[in-house]
Every structure is written in C-alpha cells, then in structure tokens.
C-alpha cells in the first residue's frame, strides 16, 4: 500500500508541515514559543487558574510531560503556577500579564499562518478539511 494512501502517514506529514510553519513564523516574529506551548497558553487564556492535568486534557497532550511544557512557560515569564487552594496536590496555572501580552500579540499571527499550513487548498476545501478533522477529533474526545 502506498504511504500517500494511508491516513496516519498523511496526518504525520501534515503535523510536520504545521509545526514547521509555526516554528518558522515564530522565529520571524522573534518569539521563542512552540506550537504545544501556544496551545497551553490558549487553554490558559480560556480557562485561567485550571490545574496542569486539565491543561493536558484540553490540548490532548500527555499528562506526564505537560509539567515540562508549563515549566518552560514559567521560565519565560508567561505563566504563573501556584498550589491549589482546593487541592494542595494540584498546581493551578494562569497566564501572567506578560504572558497575556505575548498571547494577544501572537494570536493574529497564528490565525494568519493557518492559511500557510493548508496552502494549495481552496477555501471550500479548507472548510471541508476542518469540518472532517474536527469530526474525528471530537469523536475521539467523546469516546474517552
């Protein structure tokens, strides 16, 4: 079977393209941020004060390694972490004022680079792709 006929192969290649486009654009903007760090910041912008495990769930990232992602965001001054008042074992995380500023600055840039990721597709094809990909991802989270 040819690799281009395999969904897993194409998804991996598209992920590589997405990561490459994101990394290159952030570098051009002078921002030291990975796509996973951006996803974590996006989750925190929407759900300030949630715990690290919830961030992992929201961005579909491994719970065992989300701590490292948050550690890097804390070291950059973008995120603050504190012990939860409700559960002393949990760590609540939120964007710092600097993190909010950076997030608001790069949000339109990230929105703009989406077209670069799906370059070569018409607007209708992009809409179809997004609809189908969301259907798969949503089903995946509903089954969990």
């Amino acid at each position: 079977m040819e690799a281009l006929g395999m969904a897993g192969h194409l998804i991996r290649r598209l992920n590589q393209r997405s990561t490459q486009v994101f990394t290159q654009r952030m570098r051009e903007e002078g921002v030291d941020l990975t796509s996973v760090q951006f996803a974590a910041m996006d989750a925190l912008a929407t759900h300030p004060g949630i715990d690290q495990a919830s961030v992992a769930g929201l961005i579909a990232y491994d719970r065992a390694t989300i701590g490292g992602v948050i550690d890097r965001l804390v070291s950059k001054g973008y995120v603050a972490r504190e012990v939860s008042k409700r559960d002393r074992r949990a760590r609540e995380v939120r964007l710092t004022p600097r993190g909010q500023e950076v997030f608001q600055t790069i949000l339109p840039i990230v929105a703009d680079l989406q077209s670069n990721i799906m370059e070569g597709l018409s607007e209708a094809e992009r809409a179809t792709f997004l609809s189908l990909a969301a259907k798969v991802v949503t089903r995946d989270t509903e089954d969990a």
Side-chain angles (χ1 to χ4, degrees):
M1 176 177 240
E2 185 178 337
L4 290 179
M6 296 182 187
H9 174 74
L10 292 171
I11 291 166
R12 182 186 62 77
R13 294 277 307 272
L14 187 56
N15 181 59
Q16 286 175 320
R17 177 173 174 75
S18 173
T19 301
Q20 177 187 23
V21 168
F22 185 93
T23 302
Q24 179 180 340
R25 190 66 179 274
M26 289 301 111
R27 191 176 305 126
E28 290 169 2
E29 298 295 330
V31 178
D32 178 24
L33 201 67
T34 68
S35 57
V36 173
Q37 291 169 351
F38 171 78
M41 289 178 73
D42 185 48
L44 294 176
T46 309
H47 306 282
I50 64 174
D51 62 84
Q52 289 183 187
S54 296
V55 174
L58 286 170
I59 67 172
Y61 203 68
D62 181 39
R63 291 175 111 192
T65 54
I66 193 67
V69 172
I70 299 296
D71 286 344
R72 286 184 284 287
L73 290 170
V74 167
S75 71
K76 293 175 185 185
Y78 298 163
V79 169
R81 176 176 28 210
E82 59 187 38
V83 175
S84 170
K85 292 172 181 63
R86 295 183 307 272
D87 180 354
R88 306 283 304 158
R89 297 168 296 174
R91 303 288 179 263
E92 292 179 355
V93 287
R94 68 184 73 250
L95 293 177
T96 63
R98 173 77 179 128
Q100 291 171 351
E101 178 184 321
V102 168
F103 182 75
Q104 291 304 316
T105 299
I106 65 171
L107 198 53
I109 297 165
V110 173
D112 181 61
L113 67 82
Q114 301 307 304
S115 62
N116 297 102
I117 293 169
M118 296 193 292
E119 200 169 46
L121 297 180
S122 69
E123 287 299 318
E125 289 169 331
R126 289 175 189 190
T128 299
F129 170 81
L130 290 173
S131 175
L132 293 172
K135 184 176 181 180
V136 171
V137 171
T138 302
R139 182 170 191 269
D140 197 36
T141 58
E142 289 172 354
D143 289 346

